[in-house]
Amino acid sequence: MAILTRPLKAQELLNAQELRVAANPVIAMGVIIALLYWARLFFITSIIAVIIAFIQEPFVGLLMRIRFPRSVASFVVCSMALMLIYLLGLGAYTQIAGLWEELPRFSQRITDVVEGTRHKIDEMEDTTYRMIVPKKQAPPAPVPPPQPVRRKRNPEPQPSAPVGIPGAIPEVRIHEDRKPITDLIYERMGSVYQILLMASFVPFLVYFMLSWRDHIHRSFLQFFEGEDRAAAARSLQGIGDMVRGFVVGNFVLGLLLAALSSVAFWLIHLPYPLLAGPVSGFLSLVPYVGLPMALIPPAVVAIGGGTPLAIFLFIIFIVAMLHLIALNLLYPKIVGSRVHLNPLVVTFALMLWGFLWDAAGLLLAIPLTAALKAVCDNVRSLRPIGKFLGD
C-alpha cells in the first residue's frame, strides 16, 4: 500500500509545483497593475519627463557639436523650452482674459440656448407620446365611504397660530444639508496640489536626464552582458526614435490643424479664433474621441457669441473635415510609420491605460505600447509578442 501512495504523492507535488509556476506570472501582473494604479501620478510624471528628454536630446547634441558642454547645452535647451511655454501661455492668457470679461454674457446666451433646446425636446416627447399612446377614458375613482369621527378624550395640544394672524398655519422649515462650494474646493485642493507638486519636478527631471544622459546610459547597460547588452542598447535606440517620431509627428500635425482651424474661424468671424483654433486642433488628435472634443471649443464660443445657425453648422463641417483629412491621410504618413501597431492592440491599449490613468492614460497609451513593441522586437525570446503587437 505504501508503494502505491508514493507515486501519487510525487505526482501531486509535481502538479502543485506546476500550478505555482503558472500562478507566478498572474500574481506578478496583478501586483504591477495595482502598483501602476496606486502610484499613477509618480509614473505619469516620470514618463512625461522621459518623453520630453527624448525630444530635446537632438538639440542638446546639436549644441555639443559646437563645443558646448553637455551640462550647459542641457541648461540652454531646457531654458529655451520653458521660455517657449511661457510665451504660449502668455498668448493664451490674453485670449482667456478677454473671454473672462465677457463670460457673464456668454454664459447667459449658453443658458438660454440650453433651456430652449430642453423645452423643444420636452415638446417633442409630449407630441410623440400623444401620437403613440392612445387616449383612454380613465374610470372614475371610487369614492371611499365616510368614516365615523372618533373624538379623543384627551386631545393633543395643537400649535398656536402666530400672533396677529388669525388662523395662519405655522411655518415648517426643512433643513437641507447642502455642501457649500467651498467644501468641494477644499476637497479637490489636495489632488490639485499633488498634480502641481509633481509637475514642478518635470523641468528638473528633464535637465538631469539630459545632463547625465551618458552616465545613465552606461550604467544601465552594465546590468546586461554579452548579447543582452547589445539588445538593450538597440531597444533604447528604438524607443528613443519611436518616441521622438511619435511626439514630433503629433506636434507638427497639431500645429497644422491649429493653424488651419484658426484661419477658418477668423474668416467666418468667430469670436476668439486664436484660442478656439489651437485648442480644437490639438484636441482633434485625441484617439477615438478627438472629433467631439474638437467641436466643443468652437461650439461654446459660437453659442456664447450669438453665431447664426448656418455659421454654426459650417463650423461643425470645418472641424469634421479637418479631423477626417488629418487622421486618414496625414496621420498614417507622419505618425503611423513610426509606431507600427495594429488597430486592435491600440484599442486595447487605450482601454487599459485609460482605465489606469484616465485622460493621461489615453494620451500615453500609444507611446507606451509602441515602446513595449520596440523592446520585444530587439529581444529574441519576446519577438513573437512584438509581431503580435505590430501591423
Side-chain angles (χ1 to χ4, degrees):
M1 189 68 180
I3 298 176
L4 295 176
T5 57
R6 288 178 182 175
L8 293 177
K9 291 182 179 180
Q11 186 65 29
E12 290 177 357
L13 292 175
L14 182 61
N15 294 336
Q17 186 177 0
E18 292 178 354
L19 184 61
R20 285 195 298 269
V21 171
N24 286 336
V26 178
I27 297 174
M29 185 64 67
V31 172
I32 292 173
I33 292 176
L35 184 61
L36 289 173
Y37 182 80
W38 177 70
R40 53 183 176 177
L41 194 57
F42 170 79
F43 286 111
I44 291 171
T45 305
S46 303
I47 292 172
I48 290 175
V50 171
I51 291 175
I52 296 175
F54 274 124
I55 296 172
Q56 295 182 353
E57 174 59 30
F59 299 100
V60 175
L62 182 62
L63 292 179
M64 291 179 63
R65 291 180 183 177
I66 55 177
R67 306 293 183 176
F68 271 75
R70 173 168 282 275
S71 58
V72 178
S74 302
F75 179 78
V76 172
V77 171
C78 292
S79 301
M80 293 177 63
L82 291 175
M83 182 62 66
L84 179 61
I85 294 174
Y86 172 76
L87 294 177
L88 293 176
L90 185 62
Y93 174 76
T94 56
Q95 294 286 309
I96 294 174
L99 181 62
W100 182 263
E101 293 178 357
E102 299 185 6
L103 187 60
R105 181 171 60 88
F106 273 46
S107 60
Q108 183 62 38
R109 288 183 177 178
I110 293 173
T111 302
D112 295 340
V113 171
V114 171
E115 291 296 333
T117 305
R118 184 182 300 175
H119 182 66
K120 291 180 180 179
I121 292 175
D122 293 338
E123 290 181 351
M124 292 175 60
E125 289 181 353
D126 295 338
T127 304
T128 306
Y129 181 79
R130 286 194 298 268
M131 291 174 60
I132 296 176
V133 180
K135 294 183 179 180
K136 295 182 180 180
Q137 186 67 27
V143 180
Q147 298 292 334
V149 180
R150 296 181 180 179
R151 297 182 178 179
K152 297 182 180 180
R153 295 183 179 180
N154 297 323
E156 297 180 357
Q158 299 294 330
S160 59
V163 179
I165 306 178
I169 300 176
E171 182 182 0
V172 179
R173 295 184 179 180
I174 301 175
H175 177 68
E176 297 181 357
D177 188 11
R178 293 182 178 179
K179 180 178 294 185
I181 190 171
T182 53
D183 294 344
L184 183 61
I185 293 176
Y186 284 137
E187 288 181 0
R188 299 297 180 182
M189 284 296 290
S191 58
V192 173
Y193 172 75
Q194 291 180 356
I195 293 174
L196 294 177
L197 179 63
M198 287 296 177
S200 65
F201 283 98
V202 173
F204 301 99
L205 288 173
V206 173
Y207 170 74
F208 289 124
M209 288 178 184
L210 291 174
S211 59
W212 289 78
R213 184 254 183 191
D214 296 335
H215 173 76
I216 294 172
H217 188 267
R218 289 193 302 267
S219 301
F220 177 75
L221 294 180
Q222 294 299 321
F223 290 101
F224 307 94
E225 295 180 358
E227 186 179 354
D228 294 338
R229 181 175 298 179
R234 290 194 302 267
S235 299
L236 288 177
Q237 183 66 30
I239 292 173
D241 295 339
M242 182 277 305
V243 169
R244 280 191 291 268
F246 177 80
V247 177
V248 173
N250 275 279
F251 183 72
V252 172
L253 191 57
L255 286 180
L256 179 61
L257 290 176
L260 294 176
S261 301
S262 300
V263 172
F265 296 160
W266 177 73
L267 291 175
I268 61 177
H269 302 287
L270 184 72
Y272 303 100
L274 297 180
L275 178 63
V279 176
S280 175
F282 280 97
L283 287 178
S284 183
L285 299 177
V286 179
Y288 290 91
V289 294
L291 180 57
M293 293 183 66
L295 287 171
I296 293 175
V300 171
V301 175
I303 294 174
T307 305
L309 180 61
I311 302 297
F312 185 79
L313 296 177
F314 186 64
I315 292 171
I316 297 177
F317 174 76
I318 291 175
V319 175
M321 289 301 298
L322 289 177
H323 176 79
L324 293 176
I325 292 173
L327 291 189
N328 292 305
L329 297 180
L330 301 178
Y331 194 89
K333 295 180 179 179
I334 298 176
V335 181
S337 59
R338 302 278 185 175
V339 178
H340 295 295
L341 294 175
N342 64 71
L344 181 61
V345 171
V346 170
T347 305
F348 275 108
L350 291 171
M351 291 172 57
L352 175 62
W353 294 108
F355 168 75
L356 292 176
W357 294 348
D358 299 330
L362 292 177
L363 298 176
L364 298 175
I366 295 178
L368 286 174
T369 309
L372 177 62
K373 180 182 179 301
V375 174
C376 295
D377 290 340
N378 291 282
V379 178
R380 180 177 300 178
S381 60
L382 299 178
R383 284 176 183 172
I385 300 177
K387 292 181 179 180
F388 173 76
L389 298 176
D391 53 359

